[in-house]
Every structure is written in structure tokens, then in C-alpha cells.
Amino acid sequence: MPRSPLALAALASVAVPGLDVYDVLRSPHTDADFEVVVVKDSTGKRWLVRAPKRAAAGAALEAEKGLLGALGRAKEAGIVSFEVPHPVGAAELPDDTGRAIVYTEVPGAPLMLAALQPGPGLAATVGRALAEVHELPVTVIEDQGLPAYSAEEYRERRLAELDAGIQTGKVPPRLADRWEHQLENVSWWRFDPTVVHGDMGEHQVYVADGSVSGIVDWMDARVADPADDLAWLVAAAPDDVLDSVVEAYHGRRREIRDPHLLDRARLASEMALMRWLMYGVRTDNPDVVADGEGMLADLEAMLFDEDEQAP
């Protein structure tokens, strides 16, 4: 049964002794895995409450909790310029899905990708923030027991994902062939693994006063391919905006430029549609499966219609 905002507000009062709840509203970040509300206390301060809907989501929430502490210390040390949510309390849920966790609210508002303009402004701060994530020491992830992959291990992981998708019979063969060819092109996969957010998008990047103020939702963080955190931009940003982000990104990175970074980011953005389909398969959700199949069909039509129309 869905939990009401008032029930989550009551959990927040248990998790944070002395929290005097004045108002509560459901957050747009409620999704298939989490119920989320924003609680206001009597002083007007806002707190975020996230409760898992499934045990697996609860486990991910607990793993993120330790990482957020490490990232908060990185902010205090000046290693990163953005804020992250700070966990301040937790309360056990009665249905064995885990614990509801209360966080301080990150300043600003979610980025609107459509509002990004090319040039040295906000687009450049997005690029620098992504680079700061990728410049973090990998021990930030490893010390929390979170996944860490070599480049070859990550390529093999993607191949295994593709095989699982093909076995459902729901992945268009032309897309499967395209992805398999790109995954087997080993020259693409010579990269230095970095700390990766793992679920980066416009809803995870917060903006205030024309620059990135915070990054949220770190439950998929790992040491892996930095291209994953650029996939959302490759998929949806105009070319001139993407160029500005990537230029600022490279300016902040210390490593030699990766010639296939954007190639892998584009592949990751395409395969994300298959992962959505597979989420529906794993959770036995026919609506998600149908949505995933539709998106894959649209992607196939877009990619291969473009190829056929090319001179």
C-alpha cells in the first residue's frame, strides 16, 4: 500500500527527535522505487524524506547513506564545489523494506536541460561539476563497499546486459547488432575508470544563481565508465550546449582526453532504454515493459531511418 505524506512526515519526526513538522508535500521525485516527501518544520526549514518501496531499494538507500557522508567531507575539503544531501536520521519501516531516511535539502532547483545555453555560463559549470565527480579518489567508492570495475570488466558487464535483453525477445535485432558491434570494438573501451554517479540527469543536478549547487540521488554510484554520466546530455542536449559542457569538462579533468568518451556515452544512452525494459521484466510490470518496447522501437526507427536517408 502506498504510504501517505502524513505517514512519512510522522516517520521523519521519529527519525529526527525534536523535528516539529509544520507542513508536508509529496515530492515529484517519488518513483517506482521510492516514496519521497518534503517536510517543512516550524522554522520554515525543509527536509527530504525518502522511503523505499522494495527491500532492494532499501539496501541501495543504506549504501548511499555512507557515501553521502564521504561526499559531504569532500565538499568541506574543497574537493568538490557542489552540495549533496546530508542524512540526519532514519526510522524503521513496518513492512521490512528498510528504513526511511531524512536528509537536509540541497539548495537550488533541478536543472532544466531545455534552458541550458551554450557558452561559459551554466553549461560550463555543469561540465566542471561532472569532472569534479570523476576526479574524486576511487577510495570514496571502495571504502563504502560499492561496486568497482576495470574497463574490461565493465565492457563485459554491458555485454552480459545485452545478452539478457536479447533473451527476452523484446530487443529489436538491428539495435542488438549495433550495440554488440560497439561493445566488441575494444578500442572504444580503453578508459581509466573513475567515480561515477551512475544515474545522472537533469533531475539530479541542482542549480542556484546560475551554477550547479548540488547533485542528488547517489544510489547507483560506482567506479566505472565516466561516459555513463554524460549519456543524458548526449541523448538530449543540443550540439552547441553539449560542446560547451564537454569543453569545460575536459578543462577540469587531469587525464589525457578519451577519444571515445562520447561514443560510449551515446551507447549508454541507447542501452538505457533496454535497461528500463529489463526493469519492467524483473519487477513483472507490464506497463514498464510496454513502455520500454515502445521506446526501443522508436529508437530503432530513428537510427535506421537516418541511415537509410543518408546519401
Side-chain angles (χ1 to χ4, degrees):
M1 291 290 291
R3 305 178 186 97
S4 71
L6 288 177
L8 293 177
L11 285 167
S13 296
V14 172
V16 185
L19 177 60
D20 183 11
V21 175
Y22 176 77
D23 194 13
V24 59
L25 54 105
R26 189 172 292 280
S27 166
H29 296 295
T30 292
D31 58 23
D33 288 324
F34 300 99
E35 289 168 315
V36 186
V37 297
V38 176
V39 167
K40 292 183 182 179
D41 66 19
S42 55
T43 69
K45 186 173 180 178
R46 291 159 60 102
W47 310 79
L48 193 72
V49 185
R50 177 179 277 122
K53 296 180 179 179
R54 302 180 298 114
L61 207 60
E62 293 295 334
E64 182 200 42
K65 189 170 180 285
L67 175 61
L68 290 175
L71 292 171
R73 292 188 291 275
K75 172 64 168 65
E76 292 172 0
I79 298 171
V80 298
S81 60
F82 53 81
E83 300 279 356
V84 298
H86 177 59
V88 293
E92 292 289 339
L93 295 168
D95 55 5
D96 295 326
T97 54
R99 299 193 298 173
I101 297 181
V102 181
Y103 309 83
T104 56
E105 190 176 49
V106 168
L111 171 71
M112 293 181 62
L113 184 57
L116 270 186
Q117 298 295 319
L122 179 57
T125 74
V126 170
R128 288 192 290 272
L130 293 176
E132 287 176 3
V133 173
H134 298 165
E135 288 291 322
L136 283 164
V138 296
T139 52
V140 167
I141 296 293
E142 294 170 343
D143 289 351
Q144 304 302 321
L146 295 170
Y149 301 94
S150 68
E152 179 58 19
E153 287 171 341
Y154 204 61
R155 186 181 76 90
E156 291 173 353
R157 185 172 186 263
R158 288 290 191 227
L159 278 167
E161 289 178 353
L162 178 56
D163 288 342
I166 291 171
Q167 289 173 14
T168 67
K170 299 179 185 298
V171 177
R174 289 190 294 182
L175 283 181
D177 289 345
R178 170 187 173 88
W179 296 340
E180 185 174 30
H181 174 75
Q182 293 173 343
L183 286 165
E184 290 181 346
N185 183 355
V186 293
S187 66
W188 278 26
W189 298 89
R190 297 188 181 110
F191 64 86
D192 291 328
T194 68
V195 173
V196 173
H197 176 279
D199 189 31
M200 194 72 78
E202 58 185 322
H203 298 301
Q204 285 67 45
V205 179
Y206 273 56
V207 174
D209 300 323
S211 64
V212 173
S213 57
I215 298 177
V216 303
D217 297 343
W218 290 83
M219 282 164 291
D220 291 318
R222 53 188 178 264
V223 175
D225 185 357
D228 287 357
D229 285 346
L230 295 167
W232 61 291
L233 291 160
V234 169
D239 289 345
D240 52 358
V241 170
L242 178 62
D243 288 345
S244 295
V245 172
V246 172
E247 181 181 0
Y249 171 84
H250 283 307
R252 180 66 177 77
R253 291 296 313 276
R254 291 193 296 263
E255 72 158 15
I256 297 172
R257 290 201 181 199
D258 176 351
H260 295 293
L261 179 71
L262 296 186
D263 293 324
R264 297 194 313 277
R266 188 166 292 104
L267 172 62
S269 73
E270 295 175 10
M271 290 188 69
L273 306 184
M274 185 188 71
R275 287 195 292 279
W276 177 239
L277 167 74
M278 295 302 291
Y279 173 81
V281 171
R282 287 194 307 273
T283 58
D284 196 24
N285 187 323
D287 292 336
V288 172
V289 171
D291 187 39
E293 287 185 288
M295 290 192 292
L296 287 172
D298 290 344
L299 176 64
E300 180 189 36
M302 180 187 74
L303 290 174
F304 292 99
D305 285 351
E306 285 178 358
D307 289 345
E308 291 167 4
Q309 293 169 13

